């Protein structure tokens, strides 16, 4: 099959550079274009060099519309306003739009839903293949084991992380809640301190550790009477999100227009 021609939007960002590398290094795709914000100082520089690789002979551009000509898809890890503006342009050409941008609000989701009428949108706040498979395992385990099994989610991240629990811990909590058929918002326990009382059946607890340079560790403990399951994922570098995004784009190439998630990419969606 012909290599998939991919555009990296937000190429100068931390994720953008990793996306450039992931596209250049994947033999199934080709870097069609690399788009940076208007007036960026890096305009005209080589995308391969920016990714720390040999020259790719693709100059950084700020012209998204021109970049889309001849492309098959866009990898977009930018900001909500950039994503929402790009969505109709990408969809008008019927292309694949992989959206890794987080912090999307209702109007942004609306723009993506409209775009999904003609384009193929894959949106996920976590494009890690491993984390999404883990979420599927957690959902399955929670569905099969009753509320008498206690679910606790332990995460550890580097000392600079400012939010807690991590988005991934919450994603895993949502998967557990979904498996149990309950709303996480009603059963999550974010902190325990002092005389916190005994654990309530059905609660989903979170514990957050911070220190050093840990990219992201998550362990889901499912504890029953006399036995315990531990499902763990350890992220070693942020490139995994970029590689997951490339996998999503390659998968979406063969799909009908619509809005998809990583569970679809991995074939984890039930029913
Ligand atoms: P970043 O700030 O380093 O990168 C964003 C880039 O977008 C910047 O280089 C900025 O100049 C560029 N940009 C802004 N306006 C633009 C425009 N009009 N055209 C082209 N580029 C433009 O941030 P980051 O750490 O790379 O993260 C980017 C996004 O990806 C965030 O929302 C982050 O939370 C998300 N993220 C998602 C995942 C995931 O798995 N889905 C993983 C990591 C990060």
């Amino acid at each position: 099959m012909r290599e998939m021609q991919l555009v990296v939007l937000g190429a100068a960002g931390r994720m953008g550079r990793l996306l450039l590398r992931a596209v250049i290094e994947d033999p199934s795709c080709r870097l069609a274009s690399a788009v940076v914000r208007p007036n960026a100082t890096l305009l005209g520089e080589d995308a391969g060099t920016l990714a720390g690789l040999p020259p790719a002979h693709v100059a950084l551009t700020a012209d998204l519309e021109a970049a889309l000509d001849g492309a098959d898809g866009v990898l977009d890890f930018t900001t909500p306003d950039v994503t929402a503006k790009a969505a109709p342009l990408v969809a008008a050409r019927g292309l694949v739009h992989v959206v890794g941008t987080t912090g999307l609000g209702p109007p942004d989701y609306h723009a993506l839903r409209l775009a999904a009428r003609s384009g193929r949108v894959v949106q996920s706040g976590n494009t890690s293949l491993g984390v999404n498979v883990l979420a599927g395992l957690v959902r399955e385990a929670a569905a099969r084991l009753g509320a008498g099994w206690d679910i606790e989610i332990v995460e550890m991240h580097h000392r600079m992380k400012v939010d807690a629990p991590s988005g991934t811990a919450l994603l895993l909590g949502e998967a557990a809640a979904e498996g149990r058929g309950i709303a996480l918002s009603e059963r999550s326990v974010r902190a325990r301190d002092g005389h916190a009382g005994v654990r309530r059946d059905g609660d989903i607890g979170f514990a957050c550790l911070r220190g050093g340079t840990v990219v992201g560790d998550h362990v889901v403990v499912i504890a029953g009477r006399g036995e315990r399951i531990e499902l763990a994922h350890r992220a070693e570098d942020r490139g995994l999100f970029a590689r997951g995004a490339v996998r999503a784009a390659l998968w979406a190439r063969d799909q009908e227009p619509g809005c998809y998630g990583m569970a679809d990419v991995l074939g984890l969606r039930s029913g």
Side-chain angles (χ1 to χ4, degrees), residues 9-10 12-16 35-38 77-78 82 100-102 124-127 238 241:
L9 180 58
R14 275 169 298 187
M15 281 307 301
V35 182
V36 294
R37 65 177 163 71
F77 284 57
T78 55
V82 174
T101 309
T102 59
S124 174
N126 189 317
T127 51
R238 282 164 58 97
F241 299 116

Side-chain angles (χ1 to χ4, degrees), residues 7 27 37 47 122 130 158 169 171 181 203 210 216 229 245 248 254:
V7 175
R37 65 177 163 71
V122 184
H158 53 86
L171 178 152
D203 278 351
R210 294 288 174 268
I229 298 170
D254 303 322

